[in-house]
Amino acid sequence: MTKVALFDEELQDMAAIFKVLSHPARLAILKYLSETKVCISGDISDKIPLSRTSVYQHLVELKKIDLIRGEIVGVKTNYCLNVEKLKMLKEKLNLFLADIEKCNNNCCDIKNC
Amino acid sequence: MTKVALFDEELQDMAAIFKVLSHPARLAILKYLSETKVCISGDISDKIPLSRTSVYQHLVELKKIDLIRGEIVGVKTNYCLNVEKLKMLKEKLNLFLADIEKCNNNCCDIKNC
DNA sequence: AGTATATGTCGTAAAATTGCGACATAATAT
DNA sequence: ATATTATGTCGCAATTTTACGACATATACT
């Protein structure tokens, strides 16, 4: 039923990135990983108001676009940010939004149009 | 069932912005509005592979966060970007992501961690 | 070997999003 | 006044997302 596939790949691509970032739990995970000095394993679940399973699913979403990585160490898994990827995404979003910003509309009486 | 409300307001806020940007139709609308010299009304529907009603719903989403505005002129409505708002959002996203970028993790053997 | 702990996988219910047709409204044209 | 055109509103079906419990697996510990 979704018609997402009918749009330009660029738009699909950008939208997919925004989508991963569109849930507070995933943002909370990113923030937590950026704040802990060490790449803490799944006790992320303790820091977030969701069950372990739910947190795990969000981790999977973040891993899908390589925003985080997990290194298995014994029984535990150390998750950590892929800062390089994060920077790349930020740049990508910036370029995209900057491009839209170059608006030369002029018909509305709205101040900033 | 959603537990979104349990997260920090800042995170909810950021996630909500990302969510609006997480559908290619909405990005296509923004792009189209930025490209047309004039703020074209609802014939946006012709430029997008969705029914008029569906496009309208996406317009509503964009209006909710004041990213676009509609000026009624007779029977028509001229939609246009709120460039000022777009710039503000971009800045906001940037600050948020930049903050996360300041990662000082050091446990993983992953290069960019 | 047997147990405990940490992850990962699956199925499923609840909720939200997407997409659209049918109808309502409101301004213009004849 | 009536017809036309452009928007806006509602309700509904299909799909996707969210959230979690139950079970599987795999490593360490005694």
mmCIF file of all heavy atoms in Angstrom, chain A residues 79-104:
data_model
loop_
_atom_site.group_PDB
_atom_site.id
_atom_site.type_symbol
_atom_site.label_atom_id
_atom_site.label_comp_id
_atom_site.label_asym_id
_atom_site.label_seq_id
_atom_site.Cartn_x
_atom_site.Cartn_y
_atom_site.Cartn_z
ATOM 1 N N TYR A 79 28.155 -1.746 22.570
ATOM 2 C CA TYR A 79 27.674 -0.928 21.464
ATOM 3 C C TYR A 79 28.393 0.397 21.490
ATOM 4 O O TYR A 79 28.709 0.915 22.549
ATOM 5 C CB TYR A 79 26.168 -0.700 21.588
ATOM 6 C CG TYR A 79 25.367 -1.916 21.215
ATOM 7 C CD1 TYR A 79 24.812 -2.731 22.192
ATOM 8 C CD2 TYR A 79 25.187 -2.262 19.885
ATOM 9 C CE1 TYR A 79 24.083 -3.863 21.853
ATOM 10 C CE2 TYR A 79 24.462 -3.380 19.533
ATOM 11 C CZ TYR A 79 23.912 -4.175 20.519
ATOM 12 O OH TYR A 79 23.207 -5.290 20.175
ATOM 13 N N CYS A 80 28.643 0.933 20.321
ATOM 14 C CA CYS A 80 29.220 2.277 20.302
ATOM 15 C C CYS A 80 28.808 3.005 19.051
ATOM 16 O O CYS A 80 28.420 2.407 18.057
ATOM 17 C CB CYS A 80 30.731 2.229 20.422
ATOM 18 S SG CYS A 80 31.531 1.426 19.048
ATOM 19 N N LEU A 81 28.883 4.306 19.149
ATOM 20 C CA LEU A 81 28.541 5.173 18.030
ATOM 21 C C LEU A 81 29.538 4.988 16.903
ATOM 22 O O LEU A 81 30.722 4.795 17.138
ATOM 23 C CB LEU A 81 28.617 6.640 18.456
ATOM 24 C CG LEU A 81 27.463 7.232 19.227
ATOM 25 C CD1 LEU A 81 27.791 8.677 19.559
ATOM 26 C CD2 LEU A 81 26.202 7.160 18.404
ATOM 27 N N ASN A 82 29.058 5.088 15.691
ATOM 28 C CA ASN A 82 29.946 5.220 14.547
ATOM 29 C C ASN A 82 29.963 6.708 14.228
ATOM 30 O O ASN A 82 29.168 7.207 13.436
ATOM 31 C CB ASN A 82 29.409 4.415 13.369
ATOM 32 C CG ASN A 82 30.331 4.485 12.182
ATOM 33 O OD1 ASN A 82 31.281 5.268 12.171
ATOM 34 N ND2 ASN A 82 30.049 3.680 11.184
ATOM 35 N N VAL A 83 30.866 7.399 14.920
ATOM 36 C CA VAL A 83 30.885 8.865 14.846
ATOM 37 C C VAL A 83 31.098 9.340 13.409
ATOM 38 O O VAL A 83 30.505 10.321 12.968
ATOM 39 C CB VAL A 83 31.971 9.446 15.763
ATOM 40 C CG1 VAL A 83 31.982 10.957 15.674
ATOM 41 C CG2 VAL A 83 31.717 9.026 17.194
ATOM 42 N N GLU A 84 31.943 8.598 12.712
ATOM 43 C CA GLU A 84 32.223 8.966 11.323
ATOM 44 C C GLU A 84 30.936 8.984 10.501
ATOM 45 O O GLU A 84 30.657 9.908 9.744
ATOM 46 C CB GLU A 84 33.213 7.949 10.745
ATOM 47 C CG GLU A 84 34.237 8.537 9.816
ATOM 48 C CD GLU A 84 34.837 9.838 10.337
ATOM 49 O OE1 GLU A 84 35.302 9.891 11.509
ATOM 50 O OE2 GLU A 84 34.820 10.807 9.565
ATOM 51 N N LYS A 85 30.144 7.926 10.686
ATOM 52 C CA LYS A 85 28.878 7.817 9.959
ATOM 53 C C LYS A 85 27.924 8.945 10.367
ATOM 54 O O LYS A 85 27.249 9.541 9.532
ATOM 55 C CB LYS A 85 28.233 6.459 10.256
ATOM 56 C CG LYS A 85 26.924 6.205 9.544
ATOM 57 C CD LYS A 85 27.126 5.872 8.079
ATOM 58 C CE LYS A 85 25.811 5.558 7.402
ATOM 59 N NZ LYS A 85 25.990 5.079 6.023
ATOM 60 N N LEU A 86 27.899 9.213 11.655
ATOM 61 C CA LEU A 86 27.037 10.278 12.159
ATOM 62 C C LEU A 86 27.385 11.606 11.498
ATOM 63 O O LEU A 86 26.497 12.355 11.064
ATOM 64 C CB LEU A 86 27.185 10.395 13.688
ATOM 65 C CG LEU A 86 26.329 11.451 14.371
ATOM 66 C CD1 LEU A 86 24.844 11.190 14.132
ATOM 67 C CD2 LEU A 86 26.612 11.481 15.871
ATOM 68 N N LYS A 87 28.672 11.869 11.389
ATOM 69 C CA LYS A 87 29.117 13.112 10.755
ATOM 70 C C LYS A 87 28.677 13.160 9.296
ATOM 71 O O LYS A 87 28.216 14.185 8.802
ATOM 72 C CB LYS A 87 30.639 13.243 10.840
ATOM 73 C CG LYS A 87 31.129 13.672 12.208
ATOM 74 C CD LYS A 87 32.659 13.783 12.253
ATOM 75 C CE LYS A 87 33.120 14.109 13.676
ATOM 76 N NZ LYS A 87 34.588 13.996 13.834
ATOM 77 N N MET A 88 28.809 12.012 8.636
ATOM 78 C CA MET A 88 28.417 11.959 7.224
ATOM 79 C C MET A 88 26.927 12.225 7.060
ATOM 80 O O MET A 88 26.510 12.997 6.195
ATOM 81 C CB MET A 88 28.761 10.593 6.635
ATOM 82 C CG MET A 88 30.238 10.394 6.368
ATOM 83 S SD MET A 88 30.627 8.686 5.888
ATOM 84 C CE MET A 88 29.536 8.484 4.465
ATOM 85 N N LEU A 89 26.136 11.595 7.912
ATOM 86 C CA LEU A 89 24.689 11.808 7.838
ATOM 87 C C LEU A 89 24.358 13.269 8.088
ATOM 88 O O LEU A 89 23.548 13.863 7.386
ATOM 89 C CB LEU A 89 23.966 10.932 8.868
ATOM 90 C CG LEU A 89 23.920 9.436 8.587
ATOM 91 C CD1 LEU A 89 22.964 8.755 9.531
ATOM 92 C CD2 LEU A 89 23.507 9.176 7.144
ATOM 93 N N LYS A 90 24.983 13.840 9.092
ATOM 94 C CA LYS A 90 24.721 15.243 9.414
ATOM 95 C C LYS A 90 25.011 16.122 8.209
ATOM 96 O O LYS A 90 24.209 16.985 7.854
ATOM 97 C CB LYS A 90 25.564 15.691 10.617
ATOM 98 C CG LYS A 90 25.025 16.949 11.274
ATOM 99 C CD LYS A 90 25.915 17.435 12.401
ATOM 100 C CE LYS A 90 27.216 17.979 11.868
ATOM 101 N NZ LYS A 90 28.007 18.713 12.895
ATOM 102 N N GLU A 91 26.128 15.871 7.580
ATOM 103 C CA GLU A 91 26.494 16.633 6.387
ATOM 104 C C GLU A 91 25.431 16.481 5.295
ATOM 105 O O GLU A 91 25.022 17.435 4.654
ATOM 106 C CB GLU A 91 27.845 16.168 5.853
ATOM 107 C CG GLU A 91 29.012 16.900 6.469
ATOM 108 C CD GLU A 91 28.727 18.380 6.665
ATOM 109 O OE1 GLU A 91 28.557 19.101 5.663
ATOM 110 O OE2 GLU A 91 28.639 18.824 7.838
ATOM 111 N N LYS A 92 24.999 15.226 5.117
ATOM 112 C CA LYS A 92 24.020 14.920 4.086
ATOM 113 C C LYS A 92 22.713 15.668 4.340
ATOM 114 O O LYS A 92 22.152 16.301 3.439
ATOM 115 C CB LYS A 92 23.758 13.405 4.094
ATOM 116 C CG LYS A 92 23.420 12.831 2.742
ATOM 117 C CD LYS A 92 23.377 11.307 2.808
ATOM 118 C CE LYS A 92 22.839 10.727 1.516
ATOM 119 N NZ LYS A 92 22.729 9.249 1.550
ATOM 120 N N LEU A 93 22.245 15.609 5.575
ATOM 121 C CA LEU A 93 21.021 16.307 5.936
ATOM 122 C C LEU A 93 21.191 17.804 5.699
ATOM 123 O O LEU A 93 20.301 18.476 5.182
ATOM 124 C CB LEU A 93 20.673 16.053 7.405
ATOM 125 C CG LEU A 93 20.453 14.598 7.831
ATOM 126 C CD1 LEU A 93 19.892 14.539 9.238
ATOM 127 C CD2 LEU A 93 19.534 13.877 6.870
ATOM 128 N N ASN A 94 22.354 18.303 6.075
ATOM 129 C CA ASN A 94 22.626 19.722 5.921
ATOM 130 C C ASN A 94 22.572 20.174 4.475
ATOM 131 O O ASN A 94 21.958 21.185 4.157
ATOM 132 C CB ASN A 94 24.016 20.038 6.473
ATOM 133 C CG ASN A 94 23.902 20.602 7.863
ATOM 134 O OD1 ASN A 94 23.011 21.409 8.131
ATOM 135 N ND2 ASN A 94 24.761 20.180 8.749
ATOM 136 N N LEU A 95 23.226 19.424 3.625
ATOM 137 C CA LEU A 95 23.235 19.776 2.208
ATOM 138 C C LEU A 95 21.820 19.758 1.662
ATOM 139 O O LEU A 95 21.395 20.660 0.940
ATOM 140 C CB LEU A 95 24.112 18.792 1.425
ATOM 141 C CG LEU A 95 25.619 18.942 1.653
ATOM 142 C CD1 LEU A 95 26.376 17.855 0.894
ATOM 143 C CD2 LEU A 95 26.073 20.328 1.200
ATOM 144 N N PHE A 96 21.092 18.726 2.034
ATOM 145 C CA PHE A 96 19.720 18.595 1.543
ATOM 146 C C PHE A 96 18.853 19.768 1.986
ATOM 147 O O PHE A 96 18.168 20.396 1.167
ATOM 148 C CB PHE A 96 19.121 17.281 2.047
ATOM 149 C CG PHE A 96 17.739 17.032 1.562
ATOM 150 C CD1 PHE A 96 17.515 16.560 0.274
ATOM 151 C CD2 PHE A 96 16.644 17.273 2.380
ATOM 152 C CE1 PHE A 96 16.228 16.334 -0.186
ATOM 153 C CE2 PHE A 96 15.354 17.053 1.924
ATOM 154 C CZ PHE A 96 15.144 16.586 0.641
ATOM 155 N N LEU A 97 18.898 20.077 3.266
ATOM 156 C CA LEU A 97 18.072 21.163 3.791
ATOM 157 C C LEU A 97 18.549 22.514 3.262
ATOM 158 O O LEU A 97 17.741 23.393 2.961
ATOM 159 C CB LEU A 97 18.093 21.142 5.321
ATOM 160 C CG LEU A 97 17.440 19.903 5.952
ATOM 161 C CD1 LEU A 97 17.518 19.965 7.469
ATOM 162 C CD2 LEU A 97 15.989 19.765 5.499
ATOM 163 N N ALA A 98 19.857 22.652 3.131
ATOM 164 C CA ALA A 98 20.397 23.911 2.611
ATOM 165 C C ALA A 98 19.903 24.144 1.191
ATOM 166 O O ALA A 98 19.602 25.270 0.803
ATOM 167 C CB ALA A 98 21.913 23.881 2.647
ATOM 168 N N ASP A 99 19.828 23.071 0.450
ATOM 169 C CA ASP A 99 19.376 23.167 -0.931
ATOM 170 C C ASP A 99 17.930 23.672 -0.980
ATOM 171 O O ASP A 99 17.581 24.534 -1.794
ATOM 172 C CB ASP A 99 19.481 21.788 -1.585
ATOM 173 C CG ASP A 99 19.095 21.840 -3.055
ATOM 174 O OD1 ASP A 99 19.593 22.753 -3.743
ATOM 175 O OD2 ASP A 99 18.314 20.983 -3.502
ATOM 176 N N ILE A 100 17.120 23.143 -0.099
ATOM 177 C CA ILE A 100 15.716 23.568 -0.052
ATOM 178 C C ILE A 100 15.601 25.021 0.409
ATOM 179 O O ILE A 100 14.738 25.763 -0.029
ATOM 180 C CB ILE A 100 14.917 22.645 0.892
ATOM 181 C CG1 ILE A 100 14.802 21.255 0.258
ATOM 182 C CG2 ILE A 100 13.534 23.211 1.168
ATOM 183 C CD1 ILE A 100 14.072 20.266 1.102
ATOM 184 N N GLU A 101 16.519 25.378 1.277
ATOM 185 C CA GLU A 101 16.507 26.737 1.827
ATOM 186 C C GLU A 101 16.636 27.810 0.764
ATOM 187 O O GLU A 101 16.139 28.920 0.927
ATOM 188 C CB GLU A 101 17.675 26.879 2.798
ATOM 189 C CG GLU A 101 17.279 27.116 4.236
ATOM 190 C CD GLU A 101 18.512 27.089 5.106
ATOM 191 O OE1 GLU A 101 19.499 27.766 4.756
ATOM 192 O OE2 GLU A 101 18.491 26.391 6.117
ATOM 193 N N LYS A 102 17.341 27.464 -0.305
ATOM 194 C CA LYS A 102 17.547 28.429 -1.385
ATOM 195 C C LYS A 102 16.238 28.666 -2.121
ATOM 196 O O LYS A 102 16.122 28.407 -3.311
ATOM 197 C CB LYS A 102 18.585 27.905 -2.380
ATOM 198 C CG LYS A 102 20.000 27.927 -1.889
ATOM 199 C CD LYS A 102 20.918 27.444 -3.015
ATOM 200 C CE LYS A 102 21.974 26.484 -2.521
ATOM 201 N NZ LYS A 102 22.259 25.389 -3.467
ATOM 202 N N CYS A 103 15.281 29.143 -1.388
ATOM 203 C CA CYS A 103 13.941 29.338 -1.926
ATOM 204 C C CYS A 103 13.830 30.732 -2.499
ATOM 205 O O CYS A 103 14.220 31.705 -1.887
ATOM 206 C CB CYS A 103 12.936 29.146 -0.793
ATOM 207 S SG CYS A 103 11.291 29.733 -1.149
ATOM 208 N N ASN A 104 13.318 30.823 -3.732
ATOM 209 C CA ASN A 104 13.136 32.155 -4.301
ATOM 210 C C ASN A 104 11.662 32.442 -4.585
ATOM 211 O O ASN A 104 11.321 33.111 -5.535
ATOM 212 C CB ASN A 104 13.979 32.309 -5.565
ATOM 213 C CG ASN A 104 13.997 31.026 -6.363
ATOM 214 O OD1 ASN A 104 13.194 30.129 -6.091
ATOM 215 N ND2 ASN A 104 14.861 30.934 -7.324
#
